[in-house]
Amino acid sequence: ALHLTCQKSQENKTFLSMLNNVLSTDGFYFCTDFDLTHTLQRLANTSPDFQEMSLLERADQRFVWNGNLLRELAGQPELHRFALPVVHGFIVMKPCRINGKIFEWILISRRSCFRAGVRYYVRGIDSEGHAANFVETEQIVLYEGAKASFVQVSVSVQTQTHHHHANHMDGFQRHFDSQLLIYGKQTILNLVNQKGSEKPLEQAFAKMVSGMNNGMLNYIAFDFHKECSHMRWERLQILVDAVTETQDEYGYFMVTSEGKTVSQQKGVFRSNCMDCLDRTNVIQSLLARRSLQTQLQRIGVLNVGQRIEEQAEFEKIYKNAWADNANACAVQYAGTGALKTDFTRTGKRTRWGLLMDGWNSMIRYYKNNFSDGFRQDSIDLFLGNFAVDETEGPTPLRVQKDWKFLTLPIIMLVAFSMCIVCLLMAGDTLTETLAYVMFWGAASAITATIILFNGQDFVDAPKLVHKEKLD
């Protein structure tokens, strides 16, 4: 780095800190002898030629987060054994016991690296058909050579570009064309509010789905917050009951201990909410439990008439793993743990859970506004969406903010502090105290109004990849 100018050296440090930011995020996984990027069903339905390929060649590119880093090695087959695909998301593997029978229970969430990023800067579907915060979640059971798996997907429902309706419909069409090809039939469970700011999104989404007029797509709108208001979380059973027949039709993937495939999953449930952080995980854990109930009976772990809910030891493992899954994926996308995990962990909504949700929401708001630009830049650099130019030309990092973006927040903070001080340390007369409080109060209110009015200019926005490209 000796040849670098002082400015370039500083930028180099920033780029290195961006890479460290990504690599220090929890949730990167690799395996030397198993393909983590594919579901059990996809792996079972491949040719012998596919099985002979290296893990790098055969990996599902949607889930290979180090694809850009492996580019140089990809062209050299003799080096493929050193080039392992890395997935990002969450994996838990637990040996469990029911009726004295020990089986392995596994949960894998794979986050797509296409249109990857953070909550406020990457949303919706792009013209290529890649959706923001797309996660494929697979639940696996292994018992005495038998294997069973149940797959679901979740994705953000944001449609930020309504004004480019034709482009958006094109991206929407492309997205579902590829989804139907990969997963078969789909039931979309839209969990957004059907009133307030989320209502237009639900209506737009429903209109787009009906506009596709595809018999393989089934759409169900379930106003999660309205149905479960006032702690009525038992009402989630309404949705589970409504899709019972569909879930039975879709089935699950299963291979016997002799290696014979006895069942294939013919479709997936696709849970949608605003950002796919909180509501989706709750619903997914309920549907996965229902599938697991059938699988465990079929492979002989559960006896006829026994319910998973009655197996206290396993229930604890199951609920905590799904809550940990929600937390991991939420931290990766929004910067904080998921909300509503008290229900996933305990089966009940608690007042303490509500308080923790409020605290997490506050932290999420702060991070999303004041540190996520850097996080977005880090992801874009890591994935190769932005390439560092070796020449002496200026980089996007050199864009300097106007003086007011630094000065106004300081003025607001000082004015607000002085207002509090004047209230605590009263002047000689009430009039004098009131004058001081009104002056400093007005100063903080005026600067706060200016900041709110120019809100977009004060947040930590990404610098490396231009915002329009992400909408």
Side-chain angles (χ1 to χ4, degrees):
L2 294 174
H3 67 287
L4 297 176
T5 63
C6 192
Q7 176 95 43
K8 279 280 179 188
S9 183
Q10 198 54 47
E11 287 171 0
N12 194 48
K13 281 180 187 167
T14 305
F15 287 132
L16 283 172
S17 67
M18 285 178 181
L19 292 180
N20 279 326
N21 181 274
V22 174
L23 292 169
S24 61
T25 305
D26 274 351
F28 287 107
Y29 301 89
F30 71 90
C31 187
T32 55
D33 57 0
F34 182 78
D35 189 342
L36 288 176
T37 68
H38 288 287
T39 63
L40 289 190
Q41 181 161 313
R42 285 202 296 269
L43 289 172
N45 295 338
T46 53
S47 63
D49 291 346
F50 179 88
Q51 302 289 348
E52 291 299 311
M53 288 182 186
S54 66
L55 290 175
L56 178 62
E57 286 174 292
R58 66 191 230 181
D60 187 329
Q61 292 306 308
R62 294 177 300 162
F63 307 120
V64 182
W65 275 68
N66 57 339
N68 176 55
L69 304 179
L70 294 176
R71 241 189 2 228
E72 300 276 323
L73 302 181
Q76 303 175 65
E78 69 277 10
L79 298 180
H80 281 190
R81 63 197 168 108
F82 304 111
L84 295 169
V86 167
V87 298
H88 193 28
F90 179 78
I91 298 180
V92 65
M93 306 170 76
K94 295 278 186 185
C96 304
R97 185 198 297 267
I98 293 178
N99 294 332
K101 294 166 183 173
I102 294 170
F103 62 96
E104 189 88 9
W105 181 79
I106 302 166
L107 189 62
I108 302 177
S109 278
R110 309 170 177 97
R111 296 186 69 227
S112 174
C113 60
F114 296 141
R115 197 159 172 71
V118 297
R119 186 178 177 214
Y120 279 169
Y121 295 116
V122 177
R123 285 178 145 174
I125 293 175
D126 64 17
S127 56
E128 299 293 306
H130 301 310
N133 200 23
F134 180 89
V135 184
E136 176 186 87
T137 301
E138 181 178 22
Q139 176 180 266
I140 298 170
V141 177
L142 308 176
Y143 176 64
E144 294 186 346
K147 294 184 286 192
S149 129
F150 179 66
V151 176
Q152 301 178 75
V153 298
S154 64
V155 65
S156 141
V157 75
Q158 278 282 351
T159 48
Q160 279 189 311
T161 43
H162 329 289
H163 50 289
H164 303 309
H165 183 73
N167 284 354
H168 209 84
M169 195 64 208
D170 188 39
F172 196 82
Q173 183 80 46
R174 281 189 188 190
H175 174 73
F176 275 102
D177 284 348
S178 71
Q179 291 292 292
L180 294 169
L181 202 63
I182 297 166
Y183 299 107
K185 291 181 178 179
Q186 298 225 338
T187 290
I188 301 161
L189 305 175
N190 199 351
L191 308 174
V192 302
N193 299 343
Q194 287 167 36
K195 61 180 182 181
S197 60
E198 295 185 13
K199 184 180 178 181
L201 289 169
E202 192 278 318
Q203 290 174 329
F205 196 81
K207 189 177 175 185
M208 282 178 156
V209 173
S210 65
M212 286 182 69
N213 197 22
N214 190 320
M216 291 181 75
L217 282 179
N218 179 24
Y219 180 83
I220 296 173
F222 181 83
D223 191 329
F224 189 103
H225 288 144
K226 181 188 168 197
E227 294 292 344
C228 300
S229 61
H230 309 298
M231 305 286 216
R232 296 175 304 170
W233 285 63
E234 69 284 353
R235 291 177 64 82
L236 290 171
Q237 197 59 39
I238 295 170
L239 180 58
V240 175
D241 291 344
V243 298
T244 295
E245 277 185 41
T246 308
Q247 188 169 4
D248 292 342
E249 181 203 332
Y250 289 174
Y252 47 81
F253 174 73
M254 183 174 275
V255 176
T256 63
S257 49
E258 291 81 41
K260 185 187 175 195
T261 301
V262 290
S263 172
Q264 297 258 12
Q265 188 172 335
K266 304 179 193 73
V268 295
F269 287 101
R270 169 200 181 87
S271 305
N272 284 345
C273 69
M274 287 293 283
D275 296 297
C276 275
L277 299 171
D278 316 309
R279 291 170 258 188
T280 50
N281 189 77
V282 174
I283 295 298
Q284 284 189 325
S285 69
L286 295 177
L287 294 175
R289 182 197 270 110
R290 193 173 174 277
S291 180
L292 187 62
Q293 172 79 34
T294 315
Q295 291 168 0
L296 290 178
Q297 279 179 344
R298 193 164 175 185
I299 59 178
V301 170
L302 275 179
N303 300 328
V304 179
Q306 277 189 313
R307 310 280 307 158
I308 287 179
E309 290 87 339
E310 296 158 5
Q311 315 304 317
E313 193 184 331
F314 177 71
E315 264 288 274
K316 191 176 177 187
I317 292 170
Y318 181 87
K319 287 175 173 176
N320 281 314
W322 271 99
D324 292 342
N325 175 61
N327 278 335
C329 293
V331 166
Q332 290 156 16
Y333 188 53
T336 74
L339 313 183
K340 305 173 179 62
T341 51
D342 58 325
F343 178 79
T344 316
R345 285 190 201 282
T346 65
K348 297 186 187 78
R349 196 71 168 107
T350 61
R351 308 229 175 261
W352 175 249
L354 280 173
L355 276 174
M356 287 309 296
D357 283 0
W359 174 248
N360 268 332
S361 295
M362 276 168 51
I363 296 172
R364 200 180 271 185
Y365 178 82
Y366 175 81
K367 284 190 171 183
N368 293 167
N369 282 290
F370 302 111
S371 65
D372 270 5
F374 181 82
R375 253 185 358 121
Q376 183 63 52
D377 285 338
S378 303
I379 292 165
D380 282 324
L381 179 66
F382 183 80
L383 292 176
N385 299 335
F386 175 84
V388 177
D389 189 357
E390 298 281 330
T391 65
E392 286 299 306
T395 70
L397 294 179
R398 289 194 201 179
V399 177
Q400 291 296 318
K401 285 212 167 187
D402 196 308
W403 64 270
K404 71 179 177 190
F405 302 128
L406 300 169
T407 314
L408 284 175
I410 295 169
I411 293 172
M412 187 186 80
L413 210 61
V414 169
F416 184 72
S417 303
M418 288 303 292
C419 188
I420 300 296
V421 168
C422 291
L423 275 170
L424 295 173
M425 300 171 67
D428 295 337
T429 65
L430 183 64
T431 312
E432 187 184 343
T433 304
L434 210 59
Y436 280 131
V437 170
M438 284 177 70
F439 173 77
W440 290 116
S444 60
I446 290 165
T447 47
T449 305
I450 295 168
I451 289 169
L452 281 171
F453 190 74
N454 298 284
Q456 285 295 322
D457 298 322
F458 285 91
V459 297
D460 176 37
K463 297 184 179 78
L464 301 186
V465 178
H466 205 248
K467 183 70 173 71
E468 274 69 32
K469 287 181 184 172
L470 294 176
D471 270 348

